[in-house]
Amino acid sequence: MELLIDGKRISREIKDELRERMTELNARGVERCLAVIQVGSDPASSVYVRNKKKACEYVGVKSLSYEMPEETTEEELLEVIGKLNSRADVNGILVQLPLPKHINEDRILLSIAPEKDVDGFHPVSVGNLSIGRPGYVSCTPAGIIQLLKRSGIEIEGKECVVLGRSNIVGKPMAMLLLRENGTVTVCHSRTKNLKEITRRADILVAAVGKPKFVEADFVKDGAVVIDVGIHRNEEGKLCGDVDFESVAPKAYAVTPVPGGVGPMTIAMLMANCVNGVGE
Ligand code: NAP
């Protein structure tokens, strides 16, 4: 491996740029405000929400926090979102997922005004991405594009293979790589001859949700391997979808877990809040 892609450093660089831009905006009397809604007290969600608030503070984005009890009804949540949609001082609304089982996630995501959909999950945002119009882009795949660009890795003309087709990672990742003029293949659980396809990749993005699934024989010599997965092993240590020890010697560049893709997601959320639609 020649390059260990440092997501911590790159995310800090982006947050510092955004902080400067916020200072300029504030000097012109412009503010940004993100409303974060959490329903229930899932410990992992609480950590994410806390980190999002910390990032807002660092960058200079105001944040409003709605901590709603587990038994909140769908109607009550819709009412809060409706009010935030009509508040001129709020430019981003984020509902932390997963929601409790009795709340229909689709209905909630659809109720967020697309111009405040900083997570990029609304069908309008997804549609805009697919047809190449400006709009919010899902933060994790947007962060991966930044990791590649800021590491000097060219995407244009490259064979890009995305392992996974979820709505929040795999599909938007494929659309973004296509927008950057990559030649894109998407693999999933029904793909036949998986390794033959992944071994063609100049850039391989693993978003499969299975610990250390991608081993050395999935990877072409000199490939760039991006690991989206986050898992905790029996000893409580974090690992990704890629078996780093076997893949690293074969690849040109790899993202570590932790410290690769993970920190980029919040940085790109901040970029969406500061820059608005079109970035
Ligand atoms: P997901 O919704 O579970 O999707 C997994 C995808 O992998 C599905 O498309 C599935 O195919 C495919 N898949 C499963 N088993 C496979 C197999 N044996 N061969 C080929 N394809 C297979 O997961 P996700 O939400 O995209 O997340 C993926 C990983 O990234 C998870 O570990 C998650 O924790 C992590 N993640 C990290 C961040 C971050 O900020 N770093 C953000 C989001 C997610 P089917 O569609 O056919 O079922």
Side-chain angles (χ1 to χ4, degrees):
M1 178 181 58
E2 285 183 42
L3 179 66
L4 182 67
I5 299 176
D6 187 348
K8 256 193 185 162
R9 181 187 58 75
I10 297 174
S11 72
R12 206 176 313 121
E13 191 178 287
I14 291 173
K15 281 189 282 183
D16 284 339
E17 290 166 11
L18 293 169
R19 192 174 147 120
E20 256 178 56
R21 172 133 163 81
M22 269 319 304
T23 309
E24 287 162 21
L25 289 173
N26 287 158
R28 301 203 322 253
V30 179
E31 291 192 333
R32 296 285 191 248
C33 176
L34 170 68
V36 181
I37 305 172
Q38 183 182 0
V39 184
S41 51
D42 172 58
S45 292
S46 301
V47 173
Y48 288 132
V49 165
R50 208 176 319 127
N51 288 341
K52 285 167 189 175
K53 280 191 246 166
K54 266 204 318 219
C56 282
E57 247 171 65
Y58 184 80
V59 168
V61 168
K62 288 189 168 174
S63 70
L64 297 176
S65 184
Y66 293 79
E67 281 150 34
M68 302 176 75
E70 182 82 25
E71 53 286 358
T72 301
T73 64
E74 196 169 298
E75 297 313 318
E76 285 167 336
L77 180 54
L78 286 170
E79 200 184 314
V80 169
I81 296 172
K83 283 193 183 138
L84 291 169
N85 279 341
S86 53
R87 270 178 67 164
D89 62 326
V90 172
N91 67 298
I93 302 171
L94 183 152
V95 178
Q96 185 64 44
L97 301 179
L99 286 168
K101 294 270 178 294
H102 64 277
I103 298 179
N104 180 332
E105 218 163 82
D106 271 355
R107 194 162 167 230
I108 298 302
L109 294 182
L110 261 174
S111 74
I112 298 172
E115 65 276 14
K116 300 189 180 188
D117 173 41
V118 284
D119 251 343
F121 295 160
H122 193 287
V124 167
S125 307
V126 176
N128 282 332
L129 173 62
S130 332
I131 60 173
R133 283 169 52 101
Y136 287 115
V137 175
S138 178
C139 300
T140 302
I144 292 170
I145 296 292
Q146 286 301 314
L147 281 182
L148 293 169
K149 287 190 170 172
R150 290 173 186 247
S151 302
I153 294 162
E154 206 178 330
I155 304 169
E156 180 158 328
K158 296 287 170 62
E159 284 268 4
C160 304
V161 175
V162 181
L163 191 43
R165 58 171 166 180
S166 71
N167 289 339
I168 60 165
V169 188
K171 281 183 200 149
M173 186 73 253
M175 294 312 303
L176 282 175
L177 289 165
L178 196 56
R179 189 164 89 178
E180 298 296 330
N181 300 317
T183 302
V184 183
T185 307
V186 181
C187 300
H188 46 78
S189 66
R190 314 288 172 89
T191 298
K192 295 206 168 79
N193 306 321
L194 186 61
K195 290 181 192 176
E196 272 173 37
I197 298 167
T198 58
R199 271 201 297 262
R200 290 207 309 254
D202 300 310
I203 299 172
L204 175 61
V205 180
V208 73
K210 295 201 151 78
K212 301 191 178 187
F213 181 83
V214 174
E215 297 177 333
D217 58 347
F218 280 69
V219 176
K220 176 168 89 173
D221 277 333
V224 173
V225 182
I226 305 291
D227 190 351
V228 187
I230 309 176
H231 312 278
R232 218 169 261 285
N233 68 14
E234 308 82 52
E235 300 127 50
K237 273 181 73 183
L238 287 178
C239 75
D241 287 351
V242 174
D243 178 28
F244 186 87
E245 282 71 31
S246 75
V247 167
K250 221 175 165 188
Y252 163 71
V254 188
T255 61
V257 177
V261 173
M264 295 302 291
T265 302
I266 290 185
M268 298 319 289
L269 172 69
M270 292 300 108
N272 280 347
C273 291
V274 173
N275 297 325
V277 174
E279 290 288 322

